[in-house]
Structure formats: structure tokens, C-alpha cells
Amino acid sequence: MGKSLFEKIWERHVVKTIEGGPSVLYIDTHFIHEVTSPQAFNGLNKRGIKVFRPKQTVATADHNVPTLNQHLPIKEELSRKQVEALIKNCSEHGVELYGLGHPYQGIVHVIGPELGITQPGMTIVCGDSHTSTHGAFGAIAFGIGTSEVEMVLSTQCLLHSKPKLMRIIVEGELNKGVVSKDIVLYILSKISASGATGYAVEFAGSAIRSLSMEARMTICNMSIEMGGRCGLIAPDETTFNYIKGRKFAPQDFDKAVAEWKQLYSDADAVFDKEYHFDAADIQPMITYGTNPGMGIPVTGTIPTTETINETDKSGLNKSLAYMGLEQGAPIKGQKVDYVFIGSCTNSRIEDLRMVAAFVKGKQKASDVEVWIVPGSKQVEAQAKAEGIDKVFEEAGFVLRQPGCSACLGMNEDKIPAGKYCISTSNRNFEGRQGAGARTLLASPLTAAVAAITGKVGDVREWPL
Amino acid sequence: MAKAFTTISSRFVPLNIENVDTDQIIPARFLKATTRDGFGKNLFRDWRYENDDETKPKADFILNQPQYSGEILVAAKNFGCGSSREHAAWSIQDYGFNVVVSSFFADIFKNNALNNGVLPVTVSEPFLQNLFSLGNEATLTVNLEAQTITIDATGESESFEINAYKKTCMINGYDDIDYLLSIKEDIINYENSAP
Ligand code: SF4
């Protein structure tokens, strides 16, 4: 029997398996950040031990950092303390830190790939659920809790049972105006926010293979929103070309590529569950509710108790009451107050280019606030080098500095209660972007339309 | 080192809401601590208080209804989805819950709970609905050794699954780090033999 991509990587990383229990899984690369690591370092200090393999750990500050005036001390005391704790812990334990002010600083899931640290065949973890992003390179990458951060810091290993395997195949050509965010919101709307719980999800098919690395990362990023343990895509020429020449790319690149080429699911690999979707059915998508599975085409209507799927039925009225939306109403034309383009889902250079190409020569709607938050210092520098910052400035947008920002509202970038925010991030949970904030998840293109018109619109009505 | 877990008999708090995500369990603004203590007072913060004001509890939220109490939280399906923040498990434990019952748990939450001595008990949907129909006086017994959950008044019972290794850890109050540290030789051997 053939093996799946996931199994090939998993089996190479099992140190041993406990009778009737989980496997000891070796972790190649561990990313850490300021919010979920301090208690783990405390644990090590209490045991009197040091980080076991500090060279395999990379740190950055992203979750609670301000996105304006990053050169100044952080005003908010608790955030400042967390960042200071990270600096201290990294220096005491010999861990490389790309902190505030460093040219490599940025959202952890943006900097790993762009530095070439993320590579095919690896096991990668981080105390953050969107670690699944790195799976776009054909790696097993997943989020962990702080106790597990402590395990990896102290032993470079984790105890995990092998998940079930799922494959999601998307075949065909994408429609005009449809981008990878729409693909993943579409899949979510079909299989629900818990549809992949307990599974490692491989994304495959011609529509997936046609995507750039940035676009693939957007899809794997949101595999956690389906409940998936991780998401992964077999590496190919697109992957190899992306990694080539990056700072931490393998020295003997050709040898590495020869090994990476073995990383694919064999034709007779067996999956516990498989879904097939047709790319032609996918339209620009937007969410109306309070979990990422509650999505519809921008031209669609909000479901009613009669038309909604079973999974979201009981929560529909609660969601709509929170969102201030009505059953059966069209979503197109819905007023928007804020536009947030950022987060580890859509803050890479390709996302900013996409938005810039659309808004060039246009003006933002007067009653909308537009925040563009690049995923990293490198993305920011690249945007400036390409003149993208000027395009945004002329349109009336604010280009801020890198961090998680309004994706989770841990810094001061919060959406006020009751306001609508069209966001390129990944979660529309109650209060995610600030207490009472109402989030509509969409692609950078759909967000750009809202920035110009102040409303939810269909990007296909514009010349592209 | 977590505390050893054997059997718990207690009343329970019914939280009949599906898809409770960890942003609801503990909103992001409370994640700025550098220790593990004191998260219980912010458990379900935005559902608990009007305008984030501790003097204005929302009367319709279950944690604010004193007739419901106990060490067991009973929640509707897909509990703990979303962010990987272990703070969710810490806040549940710090508040005083040692068991969470649901018909479906999100993966990372389940692991985080087990790593903190909070037992996630997965029951069938009919059994769960049965629990929601009980009054506030009802008590449940969760027996980890036997892997059963029982409604004390009627004796209705269901067995639940738990990984054998995790069960041993919980019963003895071991933690995974103790174990991993004890096999360091194996880990180093693996590193030396890996391709
Ligand atoms: S951008 Fe949002 S989802 Fe991504 S790591 Fe930061 S907080 Fe998490």
C-alpha cells in the first residue's frame, strides 16, 4: 500500500511509539512569540534546564506589538512586559530573536517562509494555531499549547497520536476575481468549521497546484478553521523556486530538491475521507456569521433557518443578532466601517500587490477607515521599494508596521463595538477584533472593493 | 506536575452553546500575563459581564446563575475551537472546573486540557441532550479508571474514550515533560541517525 505525503513525513520523525499511546515526534523547527512562550520558559527555569536545541528555535514579537511608531517603547505595560520577557528568555537560552526593530521581524507565519526556514519534509510547531500555514511547503506544521511549547523547548519532541487523513481536491480553473482566500472560504462553507477536526488535511488538484506559494499559504493557514490538525500541499517546482536563494535555504540546494521530490502522496495512498470540488463553482466569498464556516458568495443571501446546513442551524440567530444582520438578506451592499488588510492569512507582498493594482488611481470611501498591515519588515520594505506605499497613500489608506494587529486586537488596533470590519484575516469570532466588533472575512480583492466603495461589493463588476 | 485525578462526583454547569471558541473562553486581551495564575476570573469574560464591567453581570449567562455550580462544565458540540491558547484550559481550571463534557472537542483544546489535568469527556449527542434536560440539582459521577460518566439519580451511564497513556498520566499526575526528559538518550540517538 502506498503512503500519503503526511505519512512519509510523520514516519521519518517518530523517535518511538508508546504502547497503547502516542508517538514521540521529533520537531525540526520551533517558532515562538511573546504571548504563548513566557510560561513555558518559566517551566524550564523551574526545572533548572536550558533549551535543548536553541538553534532549532526561532523567535519573533508579533501578537501584541503596536503597528505605529515601533521605534518607541511599547506604551501598554502588560504588552511591554511580555516583549521584555521574550528578549530576556531568548538571550538567557541562546535563542535567535527577530524582535522589534530587526529587519526580519514580522508575523511568525510570514517570516518563517520568507526567510527560507520553512522547508518541505519538516516538522514545524509554534504556540499558535495558524502554524498550519507552513504546511503549504509540504511540511507537517501545527499549533500547540504552552505546555507543549515547554516540551519542545526542553526536549525538541512532542507526544502526539497520528491523526486521521483527509484529502481535499480542487480541480479546474478559477473564475475571474476568485483568489485562494475564496477557495478556502468556499471549502469551509461546504465542510463547516469542524469538518476536518481530527484530520491532517492534504490539499490537492489542478486548482491548488496552479497557485503561487503565497496563495497556497492562505489555504493551509485556514485549515485550522476547519478544525484540521494541519494542512499540507505536496511541494513542486513552485515551492522549490520560492525557497531558492532565501536566507536559510539549504546550502546544497540541488541535493535538497532531490529529496523534496519524494514528498508526494503515492497514487494508491489511502485517505480516511476525501472531498472533491470544482473550481468553476467558486465565487468571491464573504462570511456573514461568527465562525469561518459561515460563508456565502458576495452575491448570495444570508441563509435562513430553513436553508442553512445542520452544523450552523442552532447558532444562526445568535450569530446574526451579534452581527446585526437578517436571515435571507443579500450581503452585497452591506455598509462597512473598517477595512483590515493584514494577518498571517493575507499580508504577504502578493496580497499587497493585488490590492495596490486594484486601488491604483482610486480613492477610499470617505466614511471608511482602511488599515494595511504588512506581515513583516521584509514585506514592508518590498512594498516601499515597489512604490506600493505611494499607491496606498494616494488612495487614503494607512500603511502600518508589521504585526498581528486587528486580527486579534491584542494591541491598540481594535475595531469599536458594533462597527463592521471587512477583514482579510481568518477568524470572525465574537469579539475577535475587539469587544462587540463585527467581522466579515473576505479576500484582499473583496476588501479592496469595500475600501473604495464603503460597502460589500463584487470585484467582478470592476475592470480587472 | 498536575494533580492526580480519579473520580469526581459533582453538580454541573450546563453551557448549551455550540462552537464555543477559545476567544470566548478567554478573550485575547487577557493573554498578556507571563504566569499561569488567575485566569479564572476572566473565563467567558464577554459573556459574563455587561461592557466588561465586573459590577454588571449578565443575568442570563449561566455562570452568573448561582443555582448552577460544580466542578463539571457541560458544553454543546465543538467546544474549544479556534486559537491554540492554553490560557483557555488554564481559565477553565482556575475557575474550578476539572471536567468538561461535550459531544465533540476541538483537537488542540483537548490536548491542552489533558496537559493541565482537566478531563475532556466526549459523550454521544443523545446523552448530552439528556444532560441538558436535567435540573440544577442533578449530579454526575465521572470515573476515569472505569472511563464512565453516570447520572447519579437515574444510574444512566456512558463510557468514554481516552488514550491509555494520557489516562495513566492523569491518574498518576505525571506530565509529558517528565516522560520526555526521561528518554533523552533515545532522542539524541534519533538525531544522530536521522537522514
Ligand atoms: S495574524 Fe492573527 S492568526 Fe496570524 S498569528 Fe497573528 S494573531 Fe494569529
Side-chain angles (χ1 to χ4, degrees):
Chain A
M1 195 177 78
K3 284 191 176 134
S4 69
L5 168 61
F6 180 90
E7 290 168 301
K8 287 180 183 178
I9 306 171
W10 176 272
E11 285 167 12
R12 279 177 52 178
H13 288 85
V14 172
V15 174
K16 65 189 278 183
T17 297
I18 301 171
E19 274 289 308
S23 296
V24 177
L25 190 69
Y26 190 81
I27 303 303
D28 295 317
T29 299
H30 185 197
F31 293 104
I32 60 171
H33 60 83
E34 75 279 20
V35 175
T36 56
S37 68
Q39 292 88 348
F41 278 108
N42 290 351
L44 260 68
N45 295 341
K46 238 189 244 167
R47 289 173 199 261
I49 54 177
K50 289 278 176 218
V51 172
F52 179 52
R53 295 289 180 245
K55 295 256 164 332
Q56 284 163 251
T57 310
V58 178
T60 190
D62 55 1
H63 276 64
N64 68 24
V65 301
T67 55
L68 293 174
N69 297 318
Q70 285 185 347
H71 61 287
L72 298 176
I74 301 177
K75 278 196 229 120
E76 214 265 333
E77 193 197 341
L78 292 172
S79 297
R80 193 177 63 242
K81 282 200 172 139
Q82 272 192 335
V83 171
E84 285 168 358
L86 184 69
I87 296 170
K88 179 167 171 284
N89 287 327
C90 287
S91 95
E92 283 176 8
H93 288 266
V95 170
E96 183 82 59
L97 167 64
Y98 301 132
L100 277 186
H102 194 287
Y104 296 161
Q105 180 267 338
I107 304 174
V108 59
H109 312 309
V110 175
I111 69 168
E114 84 183 356
L115 289 169
I117 299 172
T118 301
Q119 293 170 17
M122 282 184 163
T123 45
I124 299 172
V125 296
C126 173
D128 184 281
S129 54
H130 292 94
T131 309
S132 58
T133 313
H134 306 259
F137 290 78
I140 294 181
F142 54 92
I144 56 178
T146 298
S147 294
E148 293 177 307
V149 172
E150 189 178 335
M151 285 174 218
V152 181
L153 289 177
S154 50
T155 65
Q156 207 59 34
C157 286
L158 277 178
L159 287 159
H160 268 263
S161 301
K162 195 175 134 200
K164 290 180 284 181
L165 302 177
M166 178 185 287
R167 181 158 60 180
I168 297 180
I169 297 173
V170 188
E171 293 285 358
E173 247 181 78
L174 291 174
N175 292 313
K176 183 185 112 173
V178 172
V179 293
S180 69
K181 183 65 162 286
D182 300 306
I183 301 179
V184 72
L185 287 174
Y186 175 82
I187 295 172
L188 267 155
S189 75
K190 294 292 172 192
I191 76 168
S192 94
S194 56
T197 302
Y199 291 89
V201 184
E202 179 176 345
F203 297 94
S206 58
I208 303 291
R209 276 198 305 278
S210 73
L211 299 174
S212 69
M213 283 320 294
E214 284 88 347
R216 293 180 190 185
M217 283 188 252
T218 302
I219 293 188
C220 287
N221 173 275
M222 290 192 74
S223 52
I224 182 66
E225 306 313 334
M226 307 164 195
R229 190 74 194 127
C230 64
L232 64 175
I233 295 172
D236 58 12
E237 290 303 322
T238 305
T239 323
F240 311 146
N241 289 335
Y242 179 97
I243 299 171
K244 194 169 188 171
R246 290 185 187 263
K247 172 96 180 149
F248 295 104
Q251 305 259 294
D252 191 345
F253 194 73
D254 294 339
K255 179 162 164 270
V257 168
E259 279 168 27
W260 295 343
K261 284 189 170 161
Q262 308 306 312
L263 297 170
Y264 54 84
S265 288
D266 296 331
D268 54 346
V270 178
F271 291 84
D272 300 289
K273 203 163 190 174
E274 200 159 80
Y275 288 100
H276 289 259
F277 297 109
D278 184 350
D281 293 339
I282 308 176
Q283 298 174 49
M285 296 287 292
I286 191 155
T287 64
Y288 61 87
T290 53
N291 78 53
M294 299 172 102
I296 49 174
V298 289
T299 48
T301 53
I302 296 169
T304 63
T305 319
E306 283 71 47
T307 61
I308 197 166
N309 60 40
E310 272 310 308
T311 321
D312 290 316
K313 195 176 207 141
S314 69
L316 181 64
N317 284 332
K318 183 171 185 291
S319 272
L320 293 182
Y322 180 84
M323 292 297 294
L325 298 172
E326 301 285 335
Q327 287 196 15
I331 193 87
K332 201 172 151 214
Q334 169 63 41
K335 169 89 189 70
V336 173
D337 308 292
Y338 286 78
V339 174
F340 172 60
I341 295 172
S343 92
C344 57
T345 315
N346 285 118
S347 65
R348 296 179 179 82
I349 189 66
E350 195 176 87
D351 300 308
L352 301 197
R353 282 184 194 137
M354 195 191 312
V355 174
F358 180 84
V359 304
K360 194 168 172 113
K362 302 187 183 79
Q363 274 297 312
K364 91 172 174 65
S366 58
D367 50 356
V368 176
E369 182 96 32
V370 183
W371 296 342
I372 307 218
V373 181
S376 70
K377 287 307 271 187
Q378 294 205 71
V379 170
E380 184 187 18
Q382 182 70 25
K384 287 186 174 158
E386 294 180 18
I388 288 174
D389 58 330
K390 292 278 166 332
V391 175
F392 290 158
E393 214 171 282
E394 281 159 21
F397 300 177
V398 188
L399 178 65
R400 301 171 84 103
Q401 291 169 305
C404 295
S405 179
C407 172
L408 88 167
M410 260 192 94
N411 65 355
E412 40 289 290
D413 307 347
K414 292 182 179 62
I415 308 302
K419 297 290 183 193
Y420 289 92
C421 176
I422 196 162
S423 175
T424 66
S425 57
N426 42 54
R427 287 189 173 140
N428 50 358
F429 298 152
E430 287 184 29
R432 171 81 177 181
Q433 298 194 289
R438 293 162 163 169
T439 304
L440 306 162
L441 300 176
S443 78
L445 276 180
T446 302
V449 171
I452 300 305
T453 63
K455 292 188 177 74
V456 174
D458 186 346
V459 68
R460 292 168 298 185
E461 292 170 7
W462 299 73
L464 282 178
Chain B
M1 197 80 174
K3 111 175 160 276
F5 187 114
T6 45
T7 295
I8 283 181
S9 289
S10 163
R11 297 209 307 195
F12 65 93
V13 177
L15 181 72
N16 196 353
I17 302 175
E18 290 180 0
N19 299 313
V20 173
D21 59 75
T22 53
D23 273 85
Q24 306 318 315
I25 300 174
I26 183 87
R29 61 185 187 281
F30 298 110
L31 307 188
K32 294 184 180 177
T34 52
T35 69
R36 292 177 179 231
D37 312 319
F39 283 96
K41 69 176 196 304
N42 297 320
L43 175 66
F44 296 118
R45 178 80 186 200
D46 291 337
W47 285 349
R48 241 160 112 186
Y49 305 112
E50 243 15 292
N51 301 323
D52 208 10
D53 182 346
E54 280 174 44
T55 64
K56 290 191 197 136
K58 293 183 185 173
D60 60 349
F61 186 60
I62 199 85
L63 290 192
N64 296 325
Q65 298 175 2
Q67 68 272 32
Y68 293 100
S69 65
E71 289 174 57
I72 303 172
L73 178 68
V74 177
K77 78 166 180 279
N78 199 24
F79 186 81
C81 55
S83 147
S84 63
R85 59 189 70 162
E86 192 162 318
H87 314 67
W90 298 339
S91 61
I92 285 174
Q93 190 196 39
D94 189 55
Y95 183 87
F97 292 121
N98 291 308
V99 177
V100 184
V101 180
S102 177
S103 55
F104 197 93
F105 287 97
D107 257 2
I108 304 182
F109 175 80
K110 199 197 257 178
N111 257 324
N112 287 340
L114 285 165
N115 283 333
N116 285 282
V118 173
L119 181 66
V121 173
T122 307
V123 296
S124 68
E125 195 59 41
F127 191 81
L128 184 72
Q129 292 313 323
N130 195 359
L131 296 182
F132 283 131
S133 70
L134 299 172
N136 60 41
E137 296 294 332
T139 58
L140 308 176
T141 296
V142 176
N143 183 332
L144 177 55
E145 183 63 55
Q147 296 179 219
T148 54
I149 173 167
T150 308
I151 302 169
D152 294 329
T154 62
E156 285 164 278
S157 189
E158 221 180 63
S159 56
F160 60 86
E161 303 266 327
I162 180 171
N163 176 304
Y165 166 83
K166 283 287 178 195
K167 178 174 168 181
T168 315
C169 286
M170 279 204 82
I171 289 176
N172 296 302
Y174 291 159
D175 75 23
D176 288 351
I177 300 179
D178 299 329
Y179 172 75
L180 288 172
L181 286 170
S182 77
I183 60 156
K184 210 121 189 211
E185 282 301 306
D186 293 324
I187 298 172
I188 292 169
N189 287 340
Y190 168 87
E191 285 180 325
N192 293 335
S193 67

